[in-house]
């Protein structure tokens, strides 16, 4: 078991269930393999690691580096854009769209299982990222305050109403990321 600080990107592929019901396994399997590869490669490109992929949801962890939060946000924007291109290219009209939640905080990394050990993530950042992705609308990227610390000059964002955490007593302040800010070149 290992405790550490990390940024977690949780995403849900909306429209997957209805698509899975309308296609044969021979049709959906190669498509989902391509989506999985897209997610895994994009995470790796931004120094993240795909931890869990379950058909319509995935969880990516970005390590404790100083750029982990920015890398997670950049990964979300890129994944959203790539999925739009993927659906246009493969099958126009596919109902795919991603909903993102990004949270920074403490996590616990541990192995579970008796014979075939599987690494799992737990902790506040995982819970918050999952909760935000549940509340997000299609195409929306939501992030918590800790993720946005020091990044408000890099991204266009809007503060939203806090969302309730499980149990309903506490709330989580969140931001919607709507774009990247253009850097001034100084010329």
């Amino acid at each position: 078991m290992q405790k550490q600080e990390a940024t977690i990107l949780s995403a849900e592929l909306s429209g997957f269930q209805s698509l899975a019901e309308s296609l044969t396994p021979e049709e959906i399997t190669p498509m989902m393999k391509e989506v999985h590869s897209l997610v895994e490669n994009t995470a790796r490109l931004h120094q993240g690691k795909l931890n869990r992929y379950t058909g319509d949801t995935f969880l990516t962890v970005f390590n404790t580096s100083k750029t982990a939060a920015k890398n997670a946000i950049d990964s979300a924007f890129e994944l959203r854009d790539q999925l739009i291109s993927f659906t246009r290219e493969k099958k126009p009209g596919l109902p795919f769209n991603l909903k993102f939640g990004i949270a920074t905080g403490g996590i616990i990394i541990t192995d579970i299982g008796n014979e075939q050990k599987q690494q799992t993530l737990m902790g506040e950042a995982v819970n918050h990222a999952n909760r935000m992705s549940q509340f997000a609308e299609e195409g929306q990227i939501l992030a918590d305050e800790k993720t946005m610390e020091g990044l408000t000059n890099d991204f266009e964002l809007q503060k939203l109403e806090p969302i309730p955490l499980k149990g309903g007593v506490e709330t989580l302040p969140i931001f919607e990321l709507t774009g990247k800010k253009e850097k001034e070149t100084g010329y």
Side-chain angles (χ1 to χ4, degrees), residues 12 14 76-77 80 84 96-100 136-142 176-178:
E12 180 181 327
S14 61
F77 276 114
R80 186 177 68 183
I84 290 168
F96 281 172
N97 210 330
L98 286 168
K99 301 166 31 164
F100 295 95
E137 295 177 13
E138 290 187 3
Q140 200 173 35
I141 301 170
L142 302 180
E176 177 183 6
L177 291 122
T178 57

Side-chain angles (χ1 to χ4, degrees), residues 106-147:
I107 64 167
I108 298 170
I109 304 171
T110 190
D111 291 330
I112 58 171
N114 293 330
E115 293 178 25
Q116 287 190 329
K117 302 262 186 233
Q118 180 181 353
Q119 188 180 72
T120 191
L121 302 177
M122 301 179 274
E124 185 178 87
V126 175
N127 296 339
H128 289 181
N130 284 335
R131 192 75 170 149
M132 284 184 283
S133 70
Q134 292 169 351
F135 269 84
E137 295 177 13
E138 290 187 3
Q140 200 173 35
I141 301 170
L142 302 180
D144 67 357
E145 283 184 310
K146 195 164 185 181
T147 299

Side-chain angles (χ1 to χ4, degrees), residues 43-115:
R44 191 177 309 120
L45 177 68
H46 293 281
Q47 301 171 357
K49 181 180 180 198
L50 179 61
N51 176 268
R52 190 177 333 162
Y53 187 92
T54 59
D56 65 344
T57 62
F58 62 88
L59 193 73
T60 305
V61 62
F62 294 82
N63 65 17
T64 57
S65 75
K66 291 179 182 177
T67 60
K70 185 176 183 321
N71 292 346
I73 295 168
D74 287 340
S75 179
F77 276 114
E78 187 170 330
L79 277 170
R80 186 177 68 183
D81 294 345
Q82 284 187 12
L83 189 64
I84 290 168
S85 296
F86 173 82
T87 56
R88 278 189 197 136
E89 178 185 310
K90 295 295 176 186
K91 226 177 184 180
L94 278 178
F96 281 172
N97 210 330
L98 286 168
K99 301 166 31 164
F100 295 95
I102 304 171
T104 300
I107 64 167
I108 298 170
I109 304 171
T110 190
D111 291 330
I112 58 171
N114 293 330
E115 293 178 25

